[in-house]
Amino acid sequence: MSQDTWLQNYDATCRLAQEIAENIHERNREQKTGGNPAKINMALRASLQKLKQSIGQLKDSLLRASSSRRIMQSEADRRQNLIDDLLTREKQLNATFKGDITEPAPFRSALMAGGAGASDGVSANPWLINESEETRGLTFGEIKQQQQRIIEVQDAGLDALAAVITRQKIMGQEIGNELDEQNEIIDDLSHLVDKTDGRIRNETRRVQLVEKKSASCGMLVVIVLLLIAIVVVAAWPL
């Protein structure tokens, strides 16, 4: 599997930084032994300028890849960390070249480890001192394969999530249909209740009318009976 172009350029930039470190180390050794490091200093200035340009190209390339979403955000963050580490190393190299600082222990240990850890013709990066445990010691090809496996796992998780969302959508539609049916039943019951209430009011008015009529008839019968009783009493011989 061919390596990612960005990772190849990054690997080349790391090798350039390592070469600069080795040349600075050699320049310092010559200065201590009374040699003339003018030629090395001239080459170092050119190399440091090239290193700066290479890091700038890496930044621009990463920005384009991240903006177009050709890589995952986690990978973009990881590569940005690598660039930040390169920028730190560049500052250290410039400061060491100017004599502002001496070579730190990690700096010299990186020189001693140059070329170590190569696998399948791909050199391990000597500058990844802050690399995570998951990727430490891996070549760029192996890191890319690891990222691909992570992407496949995430894709599978997204597929499962999409299936769950689809089922929930179907359940929501079924619940909505059931609510519509229940609303129709409630509307029918409300209409039936209104109709029954109207009938009850009509029957109540009829009962009240019958009661009034019954009361009037009773009074009439009583009056007739009283009249009859008066006539009978009047006509009865003493």
Side-chain angles (χ1 to χ4, degrees), residues 51-65:
L51 176 62
K52 181 178 180 180
Q53 293 174 353
S54 297
I55 295 175
Q57 292 173 356
L58 286 173
K59 291 172 63 177
D60 294 340
S61 178
L62 177 58
L63 179 61
R64 289 194 298 272

Side-chain angles (χ1 to χ4, degrees), residues 138-150:
L138 300 180
T139 64
F140 291 130
E142 292 171 336
I143 292 174
K144 186 175 180 181
Q145 291 178 356
Q146 185 184 72
Q147 290 294 325
Q148 185 62 37
R149 288 194 295 270
I150 293 174

Side-chain angles (χ1 to χ4, degrees), residues 7-90:
L7 293 176
Q8 290 178 343
N9 293 336
Y10 173 75
D11 191 30
T13 305
C14 288
R15 288 196 296 269
L16 175 60
Q18 181 175 340
E19 291 174 3
I20 294 172
E22 292 171 351
N23 289 334
I24 291 175
H25 184 70
E26 179 64 21
R27 192 272 314 264
N28 293 343
R29 188 183 65 79
E30 287 194 11
Q31 286 179 338
K32 291 178 181 179
T33 58
N36 185 10
K39 186 176 179 179
I40 296 179
N41 282 334
M42 184 180 301
L44 280 172
R45 290 189 183 92
S47 297
L48 286 169
Q49 182 62 28
K50 183 178 178 181
L51 176 62
K52 181 178 180 180
Q53 293 174 353
S54 297
I55 295 175
Q57 292 173 356
L58 286 173
K59 291 172 63 177
D60 294 340
S61 178
L62 177 58
L63 179 61
R64 289 194 298 272
S66 179
S67 300
S68 60
R69 298 186 183 278
R70 294 199 301 270
I71 58 176
M72 295 175 55
Q73 184 60 45
S74 58
E75 175 63 11
D77 293 340
R78 190 184 74 86
R79 294 186 181 187
Q80 183 60 53
N81 289 335
L82 296 180
I83 291 177
D84 292 341
D85 186 66
L86 268 178
L87 289 170
T88 300
R89 294 301 178 181
E90 182 200 9

Side-chain angles (χ1 to χ4, degrees), residues 1 52 64 93 102 105 112 120 123 126 166 170 175 203 229:
M1 180 180 292
K52 181 178 180 180
R64 289 194 298 272
L93 289 171
T102 58
M112 299 299 293
D120 299 331
S123 298
T166 300
I170 294 174
I175 292 174
E203 293 299 327

Side-chain angles (χ1 to χ4, degrees), residues 209-223:
L209 182 59
V210 170
E211 288 178 350
K212 290 179 180 179
K213 290 181 178 180
S214 298
S216 299
C217 291
M219 291 295 296
L220 183 59
V221 170
V222 171
I223 293 172

Side-chain angles (χ1 to χ4, degrees), residues 6 18 25 35 89 91 109-111 114 116 126 145 151 178 181 190:
W6 190 95
Q18 181 175 340
H25 184 70
R89 294 301 178 181
K91 292 179 180 179
S109 64
L111 298 180
Q145 291 178 356
I151 292 174
E178 183 69 20
E181 294 178 0
S190 177

